[in-house]
Structure formats: C-alpha cells, structure tokens
Amino acid sequence: MAGNRVVVYKGPGEVSVESFDYPKLELPDDVVTGLGLKRAAPHAVILKLVTTNICGSDQHMVRGRTTAPVGQTLGHEITGEVVEAGDDVLFVKEGDICSVPFNIACGRCRMCNEGKTGICLNVNPARAGAAYGYVDMGGWVGGQAEYVMVPFADFNLLKFPDREQALEKILDLTMLSDIFPTGYHGAYTAGVRTGSTVYVAGAGPVGLAAAYSAQLLGASAVIVGDMNAERLKQAKSFGCETVDLSSGNDLVDMIEQILGEPEVDAAVDAVGFEARGHGAEAEEAPATVLNDIMTIARAGASLGIPGLYVTGDPGGIDEHAQQGQIGVKLGLGWAKSHSFVTGQCPVKRYNRQLMNMILSDRAQIAKAVNATTISLDEAPASYQAFDKGAAKKYVIDPHGMVG
C-alpha cells in the first residue's frame, strides 16, 4: 500500500513534510475513546488531494500561539479525488472530485440537523466542532498531504458536477473548503446587503474573501484596513477602498474621508486574537479590532467575526490574554445595540451556492486572494513567506494536478 506525506508542526516557526501511513477507513483514537464510537468507518472515503491550502489559522499554530503539540499535522482546506469509498457510502464514487468543508460533521446530531455544522456534537470529545489537522479539534489527520480520510462522506463532501470543468476552475473551487464561505459568512452575518457600506479589518486571505463577498452581496463601498502595503494593494486590485493603519491616523477620520461620514453599515473582524494597535510600531493589542469595529459601526449594526479567537494562547501579552480574556469594550457594543456573530463558519450553509457562482463565472475568488500554486515540498518555505506578510493565498498541489 502507498504511504502518505503530511505537513507537520515541529515547533514555533517550523514545519516539515513527513511520511505517514496511508490513511484507513477508521476514526481517530480521540473520537473512538472520547465519544465511544466504532473505529471502523464504512461511511468514509479516502481522497487523493487535488489541492490543499495554507490558512491563516494554521499560521497561528505554527507561530506557537496555540496549545498545538509538536507533531500536530496541519491542513483543513481540502479538495480531492475519491480513490476509495467505504461500503456505506452511497452517493459519491471513485473518480469524483469534491470539496471538503473544514468543519467535520456527522450529519446526524442536533447541531447538524439545525445546519450548525461547525459545532457538530459527534466528532470531538473536547468540545463541539472539529476540523482536520487542528489543535483540540478531535485528533483528525491534516489535509496538507497526499491523501486524507474524510468521514461521513455523503454528508460532508460537495461533489463537483463535471470533472474537467472542476479542474479548469480548481483555483477558485479550492477556496470553497474554507476561506470563501468563511469570508462570505463574515460579510453576510455583518448584515451586508444591497447598498451597504462595509469595513473589513484585515487584508489577509479571509479579509480579502470577506471584502469580495461584500461586493457580491451588493455593497456600495467596501473599505479594507491593514498595515501591510502589499496586502492593501491586493484589496485595491478588485475595487476596494483601503485605510493604512500603520499611518497612525485616526480610523474614524479615515472612514469619514472616504464615505463622507464616520461610520459604516456593517463591519467584519478578519484579524482575530493576534491583532496589533495602530501605528507603524504598534505592539500586539488583541482587543483592538473588536473595539475598532464597534466604534465605526453605526447603531444597530451587526458585526461579523470570522477572525480566530482562542481559549489558550501561550504567547499572549498577559495572563488574561493567555486564557482568551481580552479588553473588549462590551459596554460600547451594548450601548449601540450591536449584534455579534462569532465561531467557525458552517461551510455547508454556503458552499453549494458559492460553487454555482464560480461555475457560472460570477465569482473569481482566486484572483481576489491572489492564489499561488506550490508543491508539497514548498510548504515550509511558503509558511515562512506567509508569516512575513506575503499577499498570497498558497495553494498546495501535491500531485501536479493543477493546470
């Protein structure tokens, strides 16, 4: 039987590509022992990876800013070809190319039946919700690999209707596993509608996806804030206004200069817990973005928060931040009657519709996030480039299938 090569966290700032056993149609130890489920998984498939992407959430682990242990496998943005299917898999077959939501979901529990697939109750004994290759998410092997096992395949997989069309549009379709639905979720839950004015904090891949999604939803103006000139340039490339937070200028004033008023209808936090204050030499201040978006969002607005916040951060700036407690001005949000939407995006709520937008040439998300193809062996160097602020979304092509 063939082996498998997987990207692995080796300690702060370091990843490597290591050899593992070829995956089996079996559930991981954490799930079997913690939830009392059967090990055999006839409901699962083995995928040959077509594409798998590096995510900013992975970068938090690689920086040493989570409790991820050395040896943690990485990768939750998965698109692959079915090469083996269990006996209970009915609706996908060998040769099908499918997108895999980063949320692992059973399709059977109360949360799944309510469409809340990001907090499935049957895939992680530590807490509700699971993901491939992520700390405290159930022990599932990561998908920055050559092959990966996907459980509950009939429920989780989004099969592309035509193989050749899928390969032709693969750089767009690979974004369906996470950042396109996540960015869309951030914009949608922030209340972006036709004619809205929108502020997106963060011009990384998720922030760019949120800004692009806001345009799809009909926003009249989308403003993206960041400190990285290259990433701000990428946001401008598809029609966003930008504010340079390294300038030290007041965010409210910069918003007013663009819109003629100092507030927006909707705001998105696509930064998360490693946020910094304003100014070129600003230090980490994890509540900055949440306080910013409450400040500039009009009364009654919704705030979409796809940016990651954690319960354990060994590198936090103080003992409170190390436990996920940060100085959010909740009274400000309360006074303005803001609504907050946080947590994992339930990818299945959006991925089929966004796939249709891609296949009908109505969405070019790969161009918006500057999708850049690399080999599996280039993953370690690409993690380093991403950490330095490269305005790229790295797409790993393990088998040379990307045209």
Side-chain angles (χ1 to χ4, degrees):
M1 181 64 71
N4 191 21
R5 299 172 71 229
V6 186
V7 178
V8 176
Y9 170 62
K10 301 300 291 181
E14 183 182 357
V15 303
S16 65
V17 182
E18 299 188 359
S19 295
F20 280 68
D21 291 337
Y22 186 84
K24 298 178 181 179
L25 299 177
E26 294 181 350
L27 299 184
D29 290 341
D30 290 6
V31 174
V32 172
T33 58
L35 293 170
L37 301 184
K38 295 179 180 178
R39 183 174 300 278
H43 47 75
V45 300
I46 307 298
L47 294 185
K48 175 183 177 181
L49 272 294
V50 176
T51 53
T52 175
N53 314 325
I54 296 176
C55 180
S57 297
D58 299 320
Q59 198 71 61
H60 292 303
M61 284 190 289
V62 172
R63 290 190 187 114
R65 296 300 300 270
T66 72
T67 55
V70 171
Q72 169 75 55
T73 60
L74 301 175
H76 56 270
E77 300 192 9
I78 298 168
T79 306
E81 176 185 358
V82 177
V83 293
E84 182 180 351
D87 290 341
D88 289 348
V89 177
L90 302 179
F91 303 113
V92 292
K93 63 184 185 301
E94 291 183 17
D96 287 341
I97 296 181
C98 307
S99 179
V100 184
F102 78 89
N103 323 114
I104 302 172
C106 72
R108 297 159 167 81
C109 70
R110 174 180 175 177
M111 293 296 102
C112 287
N113 280 316
E114 293 179 2
K116 300 173 183 176
T117 54
I119 44 175
C120 174
L121 303 176
N122 290 328
V123 287
N124 183 3
R127 66 184 71 168
Y132 304 89
Y134 211 86
V135 59
D136 295 332
M137 284 292 183
W140 302 86
V141 174
Q144 287 170 15
E146 293 174 320
Y147 299 91
V148 71
M149 186 274 287
V150 174
F152 310 109
D154 282 326
F155 183 72
N156 284 308
L157 294 181
L158 174 64
K159 182 174 72 172
F160 300 138
D162 181 85
R163 178 186 176 88
E164 291 198 7
Q165 184 187 32
L167 290 173
E168 181 181 324
K169 296 180 178 292
I170 195 63
L171 287 181
D172 289 303
L173 294 171
T174 190
M175 306 304 167
L176 292 173
S177 58
D178 184 352
I179 69 161
F180 197 7
T182 293
Y184 191 92
H185 180 64
Y188 185 82
T189 57
V192 179
R193 301 294 185 266
T194 302
S196 296
T197 57
V198 185
Y199 176 70
V200 177
V206 168
L208 295 172
Y212 186 75
S213 296
Q215 293 176 340
L216 290 179
L217 287 163
S220 60
V222 179
I223 303 169
V224 178
D226 205 291
M227 299 185 182
N228 182 313
E230 186 181 356
R231 289 182 170 182
L232 290 174
K233 182 179 179 181
Q234 183 62 29
K236 288 180 180 179
S237 74
F238 58 95
C240 297
E241 301 284 350
T242 62
V243 291
D244 182 358
L245 300 174
S246 71
S247 67
N249 295 328
D250 183 73
L251 176 60
V252 172
D253 291 342
M254 292 190 285
I255 295 292
E256 186 169 21
Q257 288 174 12
I258 294 170
L259 297 178
E261 58 180 352
E263 59 187 8
V264 293
D265 299 319
V268 178
D269 171 5
V271 178
F273 73 103
E274 288 193 65
R276 293 163 54 197
H278 299 177
E281 304 301 322
E283 297 182 351
E284 188 169 309
T288 297
V289 172
L290 290 172
N291 291 332
D292 279 351
I293 63 176
M294 285 188 287
T295 299
I296 64 169
R298 68 175 69 252
S302 295
L303 309 178
I305 309 173
L308 176 67
Y309 289 87
V310 295
T311 57
D313 173 13
I317 59 172
D318 55 38
E319 61 180 335
H320 298 292
Q322 290 165 13
Q323 300 177 58
Q325 299 174 10
I326 58 177
V328 176
K329 298 177 182 177
L330 189 58
L332 175 61
W334 189 94
K336 296 177 79 172
S337 293
H338 284 161
S339 299
F340 299 75
V341 180
T342 67
Q344 290 186 39
C345 165
V347 170
K348 282 177 61 66
R349 189 176 299 173
Y350 309 104
N351 64 349
R352 186 176 300 277
Q353 296 93 323
L354 294 176
M355 175 189 73
N356 291 339
M357 293 291 283
I358 291 169
L359 295 179
S360 62
D361 294 323
R362 298 294 301 278
Q364 292 82 39
I365 185 66
K367 184 177 180 181
V369 301
N370 195 17
T372 302
T373 306
I374 61 172
S375 69
L376 190 62
D377 289 318
E378 291 175 301
S382 298
Y383 266 99
Q384 292 183 5
F386 190 36
D387 191 47
K388 293 175 182 177
K392 297 177 180 180
K393 176 64 173 178
Y394 289 105
V395 177
I396 301 172
D397 177 14
H399 295 281
M401 296 180 71
V402 177

